[in-house]
């Protein structure tokens, strides 16, 4: 969708509700965020479904949303590159998770512990990672997001532990555990400088 | 009918303002593309 279309829609909503002019930018921003995320989410789940790994893809998306919400990460300059990355990476992570979950239990446990430790390290070293379009200006907000990132990784670790306990009763738990671990590793990688350089390289290809 | 449409637009505006605030308060809303945050929401 063209950026002008968000602005026009926001302008119309502002006029109808007699809102001040500065609200137009906020509404246009919300419309853009909403549209891009819904489109990405739908297409990613569709690909996951086509690959036969829909629950795994949904789990990967949930973990990534929770983790990236506070820790941030590298961003593409174009929504189309973003869509391509999301549509490729998460179904592949889910497929990989399903394959690796078939290995002996020790591998899933090692992956979960490694993901947690690397996640903690990445948060400690890099989080929160902002972008030029959405800079984190205030120091207090920076500290708060870092603190929440630790909280999120703690919650994700607790969920992994619950899946470990529940794996004797629920066969799919191992797959979800592996999907979660792989996603944590992916999002942690997205916090690093290497990921930022890779993203710049992709932007230049456009 | 017009009244219903008008109130629905009001609800949409409230929801959009809420989304804009949540999105700007987070480090990243979810996907790998970040639209430019309006000046009024930067902090």
């Amino acid at each position: 969708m063209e950026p002008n279309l968000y602005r026009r829609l926001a302008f119309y909503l502002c006029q109808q509700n007699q809102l001040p002019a500065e609200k137009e930018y906020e509404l246009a921003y919300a419309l853009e965020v909403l549209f891009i995320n819904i489109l990405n989410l739908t297409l990613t789940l569709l690909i996951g479904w086509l690959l036969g790994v829909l629950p795994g893809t949904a789990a990967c998306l949930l973990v990534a949303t929770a983790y990236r919400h506070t820790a941030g990460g590298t961003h593409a300059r174009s929504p189309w590159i973003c869509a391509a990355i999301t549509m490729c990476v998460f179904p592949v992570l889910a497929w990989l998770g399903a394959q690796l979950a078939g290995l002996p239990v020790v591998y899933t446990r090692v992956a979960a512990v490694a993901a947690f430790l690397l996640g903690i390290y990445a948060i400690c070293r890099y989080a929160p990672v902002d972008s030029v379009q959405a800079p984190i200006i205030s120091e207090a907000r920076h500290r708060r997001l870092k603190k929440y990132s630790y909280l999120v990784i703690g919650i994700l670790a607790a969920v992994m532990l619950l899946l470990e306990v529940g794996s004797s009763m629920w066969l799919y738990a191992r797959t979800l555990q592996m999907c979660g671990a792989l996603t944590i590793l992916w999002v942690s990688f997205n916090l690093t400088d290497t990921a930022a350089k890779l993203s710049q390289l992709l932007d230049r290809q456009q | 009918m017009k009244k219903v449409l008008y109130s629905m637009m009001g609800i949409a505006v409230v929801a959009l303002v809420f989304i804009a605030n949540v999105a700007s308060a987070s480090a990243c809303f979810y996907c790998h593309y970040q639209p430019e945050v309006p000046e009024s929401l930067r902090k």
Side-chain angles (χ1 to χ4, degrees):
Chain A
M1 198 148 74
E2 278 292 304
N4 277 345
L5 210 56
Y6 305 121
R7 289 286 303 278
R8 270 157 55 188
L9 204 57
F11 177 71
Y12 175 73
L13 284 171
C14 272
Q15 264 196 336
Q16 291 298 311
N17 291 280
Q18 288 141 20
L19 294 172
E22 68 261 21
K23 280 282 170 211
E24 185 189 321
Y25 293 101
E26 292 181 21
L27 295 185
Y29 171 67
L31 283 168
E32 194 172 0
V33 165
L34 206 62
F35 178 75
I36 290 166
N37 282 298
I38 288 175
L39 184 76
N40 263 353
L41 206 68
T42 312
L43 292 175
T44 309
L45 288 172
L46 186 72
I47 291 176
W49 176 68
L50 288 173
L51 288 175
V53 286
L54 181 64
T57 310
C60 289
L61 286 171
L62 263 175
V63 171
T65 307
Y67 193 178
R68 273 183 78 91
H69 193 75
T70 52
T74 183
H75 285 93
R77 212 183 300 159
S78 143
W80 303 114
I81 292 181
C82 156
I85 293 172
T86 314
M87 281 188 292
C88 292
V89 168
F90 292 110
V92 167
L93 286 179
W95 179 82
L96 212 60
Q99 303 302 311
L100 295 176
L103 293 175
V105 179
V106 66
Y107 288 101
T108 321
R109 286 177 184 157
V110 167
V113 172
F116 174 67
L117 293 177
L118 282 169
I120 290 280
Y121 171 74
I123 290 168
C124 182
R125 176 109 195 255
Y126 304 103
V129 177
D130 60 355
S131 61
V132 186
Q133 289 89 349
I136 298 168
I137 301 164
S138 122
E139 191 55 43
R141 189 173 159 229
H142 192 277
R143 274 200 304 272
R144 199 170 55 235
L145 284 171
K146 199 175 192 82
K147 204 167 67 186
Y148 286 154
S149 301
Y150 283 120
L151 182 70
V152 167
I153 200 87
I155 291 169
L156 290 175
V159 172
M160 296 274 215
L161 208 65
L162 276 177
L163 287 171
E164 177 66 38
V165 174
S167 61
S168 54
M169 292 169 276
W170 190 33
L171 279 177
Y172 211 73
R174 287 255 170 257
T175 308
L176 292 184
Q177 204 180 17
M178 199 49 135
C179 289
L182 290 174
T183 310
I184 290 173
L185 288 173
W186 167 252
V187 179
S188 300
F189 169 70
N190 267 281
L191 299 177
T192 64
D193 299 331
T194 316
K197 280 178 197 150
L198 262 174
S199 179
Q200 280 169 4
L201 200 74
L202 274 174
D203 283 335
R204 275 203 292 269
Q205 302 303 313
Q206 218 197 357
Chain B
M1 188 65 190
K2 244 185 174 178
K3 252 187 177 178
V4 174
L5 201 71
Y6 189 76
S7 60
M8 271 171 74
M9 268 196 282
I11 293 167
V13 165
V14 171
L16 287 172
V17 169
F18 176 73
I19 289 167
N21 278 285
V22 170
S24 66
S26 65
C28 163
F29 199 65
Y30 131 75
C31 66
H32 289 255
Y33 171 69
Q34 173 67 54
E36 192 160 353
V37 175
E39 284 293 333
S40 57
L41 291 174
R42 288 189 181 188
K43 50 197 165 196

